[in-house]
Amino acid sequence: MKSRFYLYNFAKLSYLFLFIGVAGCSGNYRHHKESSQDSAAVVISEGKETDAPVGESASRPGDPDYHFEDGSSISAYLDTCRHSSQYSGGILPVIAREVPEYAEKLIANRYDSFIIVDKASMRVILYDRYGNVKKAYDMACAKNYGTKHKKADSRTPEGFFEVEGIYNSTDWLYTDDDGVTSKKKGQFGPRFIRLKIPVTSQIGIHGTCSPWSIGHRASHGCIRLTNDNIMELVELVEPGMPVIVLPGKRDRAVNREEGCFVPYFPTEEKYAMTEKEKSLPYLKPKKDNVKTQPDSVNSVSEISADSVANIIESGVGIETLDTVKENGLPNDSV
């Protein structure tokens, strides 16, 4: 009987100790889990990746709503993040130093690549998302210098844009400044990459029936590539992808005269602005011009996207990636 009594009490004590142990472990686990959640987010502090509390509104570098303090904090991120080795050999550190607002957008880029249309080198350059060159093509762009202000000014707009759509332009026709449409097909080449731009819906990167114009300021505003190159590029581009158009030296001079600031960074050291050029003042904007914002082409009050949308309505039906019908595009395009 005594042995049964002892065994019974021993079993009760064992269950009691087991319950206390499990409860203690559970409490420690809950405390550890809460502590882990409080330190889950990675942010940049003094050039290091450190832990910070996470909340529903918390964002991280690379999120669309995340904002760095300045170019130095962006550079610190590029140097310390897990993709630092990929960033180090590309153009992102240069952009972070010269135009932080562009670098912030490119870090948040969700696409595999981005494009720079460089008027200084007269090239269209395709970069991977880390800023390393994938492809580079010689180009032609607008015959007039400076960023675009209005319809029919024969200028290529400058700023930070995105790809709006990719189209089969094989049978498109060209309409000149007087509204006369050419009957000759193929002036836009086989493909047209339309850029989403506040001032106009007519600008894009496309092929050409004038390959000898490549390398020159020859168009009415669009960016021309050879037909072989545009066919290669469209396979690497998708709607929404960022496109930066940079002014060349003479474009920057015209922009200063018109009081129109457009951010600039060099794609190569030889295209960097001198300290003398950086110190030159911008003149007061003319009455018919509006000073540009850092991420857009300057907007002219009498021109809106809606007012030019009818330019691309119906005509010669062509099968495109968006299954739209296009007639000849007017003077800003070819």
Side-chain angles (χ1 to χ4, degrees), residues 13 54 66 89 116 121 139 142 149 154 168 195 201 212 242 247-248 314 321:
L13 289 172
V54 171
Y66 184 90
I116 292 179
S121 66
M139 71 171 192
H149 295 289
S154 292
N168 182 339
L195 304 186
S201 62
W212 53 85
S314 67
L321 296 187

Side-chain angles (χ1 to χ4, degrees), residues 17 87 101 111 116 132 139 168 184 197 208 210 243 247 271 278 280 298 302 316:
F17 286 129
Y87 282 125
E101 59 268 34
Y111 297 89
I116 292 179
N132 301 292
M139 71 171 192
N168 182 339
K184 182 180 179 181
I197 293 170
T208 182
S210 306
V243 179
Y271 302 118
K278 290 180 181 179
L280 294 174
N298 50 306
E302 63 269 25
V316 180

Side-chain angles (χ1 to χ4, degrees), residues 17-31:
F17 286 129
L18 179 61
F19 174 77
I20 293 172
V22 170
C25 290
S26 299
N28 289 336
Y29 170 73
R30 283 195 299 271
H31 175 73

